[in-house]
Amino acid sequence: MNTQQPKRWNILVCGTIQRVGYHHLIQGIARRNHITGCILNLEGYDVRIIAEGIPEDLERFKNDIRIQEYPVFVETLEISKLPHTGEYKYFEIVRGTPDEELAERFDSAIAVLSRMEKKQDTAIDLGKETISLQKETLNEVKGIRYDLDKTLTSEIAEVKEELREIRSALIQAGIMNSARS
């Protein structure tokens, strides 16, 4: 049996997938996986995907369409394997009425904006964490500078005191005169 023979899968996708930008995502996934076919809304909340391609690409496609990232949430996939027809030249989104299409486009835009917002929130959190680490590092550097300054001041005072004592001993021994030089 040649596993490279094209196959056709009829996929019923259930979950939060209508009017959340899922169709647009699936079209991109199909293109990346060399899948032809279509996606269309069914009554209720589900969608049907007709996917044609070689088994390896179909398996990868099946795994990639199991999206569970807000606002999309795929709950289940039901796959029926059918004979390949070759009727599709590319992967298309089967659109509804103009009103349905407009609503779908708005929902797709909302989905994209939601994903952007999530990424922005992640970036903001990362920025806050970075600022927190910078403040912590700055406080550590300030502490080290304070400790170093305190230590050096103390050491210099001790060295000055020892030099005074040495000078005083040299003067008492007559090796050095008391005039400051």
Side-chain angles (χ1 to χ4, degrees), residues 107-160:
D107 292 334
S108 293
I110 290 168
V112 168
L113 290 173
S114 294
R115 285 190 290 279
M116 287 173 55
E117 181 181 30
K118 183 178 178 185
K119 288 180 181 180
Q120 181 182 10
D121 289 347
T122 300
I124 288 170
D125 290 343
L126 183 59
K128 286 178 181 176
E129 186 177 326
T130 301
I131 289 171
S132 175
L133 287 172
Q134 288 173 340
K135 286 179 180 178
E136 185 179 323
T137 302
L138 180 60
N139 287 336
E140 286 178 15
V141 168
K142 284 179 179 179
I144 291 169
R145 285 179 61 190
Y146 175 78
D147 291 346
L148 182 61
D149 182 53
K150 187 175 166 184
T151 301
L152 287 176
T153 301
S154 172
E155 298 266 335
I156 290 171
E158 286 179 30
V159 168
K160 282 182 178 180

Side-chain angles (χ1 to χ4, degrees), residues 52-106:
E52 291 190 337
I54 61 172
E56 180 180 301
D57 292 341
L58 285 166
E59 284 294 331
R60 199 169 42 252
F61 177 74
K62 176 185 74 173
N63 293 330
D64 291 352
I65 66 173
R66 292 180 189 268
I67 300 169
Q68 293 186 338
E69 182 178 326
Y70 180 81
V72 176
F73 190 85
V74 173
E75 293 174 12
T76 61
L77 298 177
E78 294 177 22
I79 299 172
S80 303
K81 296 180 180 181
L82 305 168
H84 178 261
T85 65
E87 75 181 89
Y88 296 98
K89 301 298 177 213
Y90 58 92
F91 193 90
E92 64 182 287
I93 298 173
V94 177
R95 312 253 184 227
T97 67
D99 288 344
E100 291 170 337
E101 176 59 21
L102 182 60
E104 180 73 27
R105 291 294 179 171
F106 278 130

Side-chain angles (χ1 to χ4, degrees), residues 8-9 11 26 35-40 48-52 61 87-88 90-94:
R8 179 181 185 131
W9 287 3
I11 307 169
I26 297 310
I35 300 297
T36 60
C38 68
I39 182 170
L40 61 139
R48 168 168 286 116
I49 299 172
I50 297 172
E52 291 190 337
F61 177 74
E87 75 181 89
Y88 296 98
Y90 58 92
F91 193 90
E92 64 182 287
I93 298 173
V94 177

